[in-house]
Amino acid sequence: MINPVFVTVAVVALGIASAAAIYRIAKGPSLLDRVLATDVLLSIVITALCIDMAVHRHLNNLILVISLTVVGFIGSVTVARFVQDRREEPRDDR
């Protein structure tokens, strides 16, 4: 049996982390800050789903966790390639 104190501490930590990520999404000065905060928020949701599966001893959310992981990875790689392409444009400083 999982100790409820550990679950409570995990829920509070995930709540604080998600509030900080949402703040960074709203306040972030650049696109990369917002994308990174969104990726962190997605990781927090995945972690919460995994904790729920561990506490209740089921695998009902496993497909959702795998799907969110793939979407987060593809999104991060896409944004990284987009930013890399923007930085490699030659500048015409005459």
Side-chain angles (χ1 to χ4, degrees), residues 5-64:
V5 174
F6 294 134
V7 175
T8 304
V9 169
V11 167
V12 168
L14 289 176
I16 292 170
S18 63
I22 290 171
Y23 174 77
R24 180 50 61 191
I25 290 171
K27 188 77 173 170
S30 70
L31 175 69
L32 286 177
D33 287 333
R34 289 185 171 98
V35 169
L36 182 63
T38 304
D39 198 33
V40 168
L41 189 60
L42 185 63
S43 298
I44 291 168
V45 169
I46 292 169
T47 304
L49 288 171
C50 290
I51 289 173
D52 176 62
M53 288 190 299
V55 168
H56 294 107
R57 297 182 186 268
H58 65 78
L59 296 175
N60 296 343
N61 297 330
L62 190 59
I63 299 298
L64 180 61

